[in-house]
Amino acid sequence: MDNTEIADRLETFAMMLELVEANPYTARAYRRAAETIRGAAVPVADLVRKNRVRELRGIGSGIEARLRELVDTGQIAELSELERELSPDLVGLGRYLGLSARRSVQLARSLGVRTAEELREAAAAGRLRDVPGIGAKTEARLLEVLAREDGPRPREGLLLSRARELVGTVAAAVGGEPAGDVRRWRDSCEWLAVVSAAIVPEPVLDRFVALPQIVAVVERDERRAVGVTVEGVPIELTAADPARFGTELVRATGSPAYVAALEPLPLAPDEHTVYAALEIPWCPPELREEPFRGEPPPLVEVGEIRGDLHCHTTWSDGRASVEEMGRAARERGYDYMAICDHSPAVGAVRGLTPDDLRRQAVEIAAANEALAPFRVLRGIECDILPDGRLDLPDDVLAELDWVQASVHGGQRMPAPQMTRRVEEALRNPYVRCLSHPTGRYINRRPENALDLDRIFEVALEEGVALEVNGLPLRLDLSGGHVRNALRAGVEIACSTDAHSVVGLGNMVLAVATARRGWATAANVVNTRPLEEILGPRRARKAA
Ligand SMILES: [Zn+2]
Ligand SMILES: [Zn+2]
């Protein structure tokens, strides 16, 4: 058994564990072990036989036992059992129908079906009502969903980062282009779509439905198929005649309202020709939410970003050193980066005391020597205490180049209190930027009760920037809020909040979110040269 085969089995096991909704940490551990084994330079089966496999990163005693079983017997008994019991396509269809994986498995057991197709047949034969716990109402709903033409919307979209990866993989496999919510960079994607150009559509559709990412097919006609992912999210493929590829791409990209306002669309092989025929300027996908026929502004681009102003290191909860982060930022072509580790009040992780900050300064100075002319800035992500004071004294903040202020604990305050708390922090003369202003986690935690219009006023008066945080779960401010902030005259900073070298890559998400808010380079502080970042706040005190 070679490393690839072993890794594939572990990955399948991880997927099965996820399907039965086992502890997510276990599934993740198996997935990580699979990755390690795939990249290992030596035959892992040999290491297992020599009792040395735990020398590999991320392999503990539990995974070692599974590996031993796999190498000795050629299989993992628990995995074989899971595979007998549930098929991924059944679970995918179940999720699409609004059933949990567990419920889908129960349903399959009591009906004696094992695949999505068999479930459909059982439903059509009227056998759903025999299942304990399924009443006439649920049966009617399931039948309706199975029969409906456009299918249900998932209760919850996929995070943009996951959706981008998924749609990108599918698009590459069928030689098409990502469209739908992903192309508009929505923070949570419900409508996944790919458009490919094909004179003869059948082979493209065949390739699509056979992809491992497509666990069930809910619709297929001559030039279009809708598959379902294992999360139960529908993904639509259009195999367009090349002469109308541009038309189909416009249609599969814009929101329904945006597209409807352009119809009837002329037939054209590419988007630019479609727009030219409509006699309106080409529109960046990020702006195709509301009907719009005008000249779009020159939206900010990743290439215009000159530095990242919110990054962590091993001094708090990051995984790389100051110099490693700086070097990686320099490799991205930036001129500067601000190290903003946590202050003590953050609680869950280690925060930096004034003493720590002064010791960190020595390390930052050394990194600056090694990386010059690139500049590593001394910064902090300073907690805003519940009463609006900052977690570190002013004389400490005064030494720093860049101060981010953040609400972490105590987010459930009523709006008037929360607004006063944040306002108070923005009045501190050393604060340069408000981190993740609303505190939301996409699909998991709502925005803090905060009067954003009031915060915009204060930020404008004080010359404080508002962050567009690029963590995939945050994207905070959202595109809609960015637009309101810009209308109020406030500046934004596109930052990654990176906790690792890889995390710096989330700048594309921060910039895309700013673009969804119609931001140009002039609105984004970190498109500016270092001298301006280090200069005084651009306060515009109310007259
Ligand atoms: Zn934070
Ligand atoms: Zn942070």
Side-chain angles (χ1 to χ4, degrees):
M1 208 170 237
D2 67 20
N3 288 356
T4 308
E5 288 170 305
I6 295 176
D8 284 349
R9 289 313 280 158
L10 286 196
E11 222 164 83
T12 309
F13 193 38
M15 186 185 77
M16 286 294 176
L17 289 174
E18 270 170 9
L19 289 183
V20 295
E21 286 154 18
N23 181 343
Y25 294 101
T26 315
R28 224 172 292 155
Y30 276 97
R31 192 154 277 146
R32 232 178 282 138
E35 230 168 81
T36 304
I37 290 170
R38 220 180 278 287
V42 292
V44 168
D46 285 355
L47 290 183
V48 172
R49 287 190 203 101
K50 291 178 188 151
N51 292 323
R52 288 184 46 206
V53 73
R54 288 178 66 180
E55 291 167 20
L56 293 177
R57 213 177 116 231
I59 298 194
S61 58
I63 296 179
E64 183 189 20
R66 304 291 189 188
L67 285 172
R68 189 171 302 283
E69 191 189 347
L70 184 59
V71 170
D72 288 348
T73 69
Q75 58 168 343
I76 299 174
E78 192 183 343
L79 172 56
S80 309
E81 198 168 307
L82 285 170
E83 282 178 325
R84 259 194 304 280
E85 209 166 58
L86 56 130
S87 67
D89 74 324
L90 177 68
V91 177
L93 184 68
R95 290 207 174 137
Y96 176 76
L97 294 174
L99 303 172
S100 69
R102 206 172 293 269
R103 196 88 180 88
S104 307
V105 173
Q106 280 171 358
L107 190 69
R109 270 195 203 137
S110 46
L111 286 172
V113 302
R114 284 189 36 221
T115 64
E117 204 37 54
E118 288 170 5
L119 173 61
R120 229 193 276 251
E121 281 165 19
R127 290 179 52 214
L128 282 180
R129 75 196 64 154
D130 303 336
V131 178
I134 293 212
K137 247 198 201 151
T138 309
E139 183 196 9
R141 184 176 66 81
L142 292 183
L143 288 174
E144 189 217 349
V145 171
L146 280 170
R148 206 186 307 164
E149 221 170 66
D150 54 350
R153 287 277 160 142
R155 284 154 302 169
E156 185 173 280
L158 294 181
L159 284 187
L160 175 59
S161 50
R162 160 82 180 122
R164 252 166 59 82
E165 185 199 325
L166 176 72
V167 172
T169 308
V170 170
V174 298
E177 289 203 27
D181 290 356
V182 164
R183 189 160 178 241
R184 301 206 309 284
W185 298 80
R186 288 181 66 89
D187 47 24
S188 170
C189 298
E190 296 173 3
W191 176 40
L192 307 185
V194 170
V195 182
S196 76
I199 297 171
V200 186
E202 287 86 2
V204 178
L205 296 177
D206 286 346
R207 219 178 310 149
F208 173 72
V209 301
L211 288 174
Q213 290 83 6
I214 305 300
V215 296
V217 177
V218 289
E219 261 180 83
R220 177 167 177 169
D221 52 40
E222 204 197 326
R223 287 197 168 269
R224 184 171 161 275
V226 179
V228 178
T229 71
V230 76
E231 293 97 342
V233 180
I235 173 164
E236 178 181 349
L237 172 72
T238 306
D241 186 307
R244 49 185 298 161
F245 174 76
T247 313
E248 295 301 344
L249 190 58
V250 170
R251 223 169 245 152
T253 298
S255 72
Y258 175 85
V259 174
L262 296 185
E263 295 280 10
L265 287 177
L267 299 187
D270 61 77
E271 275 199 349
H272 283 276
T273 313
V274 175
Y275 281 90
L278 288 170
E279 297 181 334
I280 58 176
W282 180 82
C283 181
E286 293 93 331
L287 302 188
R288 301 187 202 173
E289 292 293 341
E290 305 300 326
F292 177 67
R293 306 178 74 95
E295 181 74 48
L299 299 180
V300 59
E301 287 175 19
V302 173
E304 293 175 297
I305 298 292
R306 304 181 71 162
D308 198 328
L309 292 169
H310 183 171
C311 302
H312 294 264
T313 71
T314 45
W315 281 86
S316 65
D317 54 348
R319 289 198 295 276
S321 70
V322 169
E323 189 177 328
E324 284 165 340
M325 290 299 279
R327 195 172 294 280
R330 190 178 70 167
E331 273 162 23
R332 289 187 175 270
Y334 296 155
D335 301 329
Y336 53 85
M337 134 185 282
I339 299 296
C340 296
D341 280 306
H342 287 288
S343 66
V346 73
V349 304
R350 201 174 86 88
L352 275 66
T353 63
D355 257 11
D356 293 330
L357 269 169
R358 283 170 190 139
R359 284 190 296 126
Q360 190 187 47
V362 177
E363 196 174 320
I364 289 178
N368 275 324
E369 220 155 279
L371 301 174
F374 181 87
R375 258 302 279 285
V376 181
L377 304 181
R378 289 186 65 200
I380 186 79
E381 177 172 14
C382 189
D383 263 53
I384 303 173
L385 302 175
D387 63 4
R389 280 180 309 126
L390 290 171
D391 190 23
L392 288 166
D394 277 4
D395 62 321
V396 174
L397 299 180
E399 286 176 24
L400 303 175
D401 302 310
W402 188 259
V403 175
Q404 294 271 150
S406 307
V407 169
H408 288 127
Q411 305 204 10
R412 290 198 189 166
M413 279 179 182
Q417 251 168 288
M418 181 60 94
T419 306
R420 262 201 309 278
R421 174 182 179 186
V422 173
E423 179 175 342
E424 183 82 17
L426 299 189
R427 299 284 185 205
N428 180 296
Y430 302 106
V431 169
R432 303 299 296 261
C433 183
L434 177 65
S435 319
H436 40 72
T438 76
R440 70 157 177 179
Y441 282 162
I442 297 165
N443 295 335
R444 292 208 200 152
R445 187 169 79 195
E447 297 183 347
N448 296 339
L450 182 67
D451 179 352
L452 271 181
D453 290 333
R454 176 66 190 147
I455 296 306
F456 295 158
E457 276 174 35
V458 178
L460 183 65
E461 283 173 26
E462 297 291 341
V464 173
L466 297 193
E467 182 177 70
V468 179
N469 185 296
L471 288 174
L473 199 52
R474 288 197 186 269
L475 301 183
D476 181 11
L477 297 173
S478 66
H481 287 325
V482 168
R483 195 160 190 202
N484 291 331
L486 299 184
R487 279 179 174 144
V490 176
E491 299 188 321
I492 56 172
C494 291
S495 301
T496 60
D497 203 349
H499 286 67
S500 67
V501 164
V502 174
L504 293 171
N506 285 328
M507 187 58 83
V508 291
L509 299 181
V511 169
T513 303
R515 289 167 62 89
R516 284 178 58 77
W518 297 61
T520 68
N523 304 129
V524 182
V525 293
N526 51 321
T527 59
R528 298 184 192 142
L530 178 64
E531 305 81 75
E532 287 187 46
I533 299 295
L534 294 176
R537 299 205 306 205
R538 293 187 179 184
R540 258 192 262 175
K541 289 274 184 200

